[in-house]
Amino acid sequence: MKKYNRDLGTYGESLAIEHILHKGYEVLDKNYKCAVGEIDIIAKQGEVLAFIEVKSRLSSYFGKPLESINYIKKNRIIKASKLYLQKNRLFNFFIRYDVIEITFLKDIHNYKINLLQDAFRL
């Protein structure tokens, strides 16, 4: 089951990247990992640097994908984003934390994508 969830997450991230590229984002990094956390996608849209968490679900039985991002997860994303900014010397950007919800309806080829810009803040 764990491998299946990982595969679903990887597929969801590829759909998310395709979605944001279509919306004019430039992907800078994906699956960025550091000592304090992980960020699924780091993308630029104009003067905005977006740190994007992707949540994929097979149904909404246990709630919306956004609802699974708790305080601890948000904190880890924020800490990881600060390290990323320092490491890459990216100081002249507005920062935003987005969430992409992907809900698969009947199968993996039938899905709904919802981009939530500025989903949470520091």
Side-chain angles (χ1 to χ4, degrees):
M1 186 69 163
K2 191 172 187 178
K3 182 179 177 351
Y4 179 75
N5 287 341
R6 189 177 322 121
D7 291 345
L8 184 68
T10 301
Y11 179 60
E13 286 176 12
S14 68
L15 293 173
I17 288 171
E18 185 180 310
H19 184 73
I20 63 172
L21 288 173
H22 181 71
K23 292 196 169 284
Y25 286 70
E26 176 187 343
V27 175
L28 302 179
D29 210 341
K30 58 184 179 175
N31 297 317
Y32 171 75
K33 293 178 185 171
C34 63
V36 296
E38 177 186 354
I39 301 170
D40 293 333
I41 302 169
I42 301 167
K44 185 174 84 162
Q45 185 185 38
E47 294 180 358
V48 175
L49 201 60
F51 295 94
I52 305 169
E53 177 69 9
V54 180
K55 288 295 180 182
S56 302
R57 295 288 180 264
L58 289 174
S59 74
S60 58
Y61 183 76
F62 293 106
K64 292 184 178 184
L66 177 65
E67 294 169 346
S68 69
I69 304 173
N70 61 23
Y71 174 79
I72 294 168
K73 179 68 174 175
K74 289 176 189 176
N75 232 7
R76 287 182 181 154
I77 292 169
I78 290 167
K79 286 179 182 178
S81 71
K82 288 179 181 180
L83 285 176
Y84 183 87
L85 292 168
Q86 288 176 341
K87 178 183 171 190
N88 293 286
R89 301 181 159 275
L90 298 169
F91 304 115
N92 296 322
F93 288 95
F94 296 104
I95 304 303
R96 190 175 71 210
Y97 298 96
D98 296 350
V99 173
I100 296 180
E101 298 178 313
I102 302 174
T103 306
F104 294 96
L105 304 173
K106 293 184 181 185
D107 56 48
I108 63 169
H109 303 293
N110 189 7
Y111 54 87
K112 179 180 153 191
I113 294 184
N114 187 21
L115 170 60
L116 302 162
Q117 294 181 333
D118 206 16
F120 58 91
R121 295 182 181 224
L122 296 172

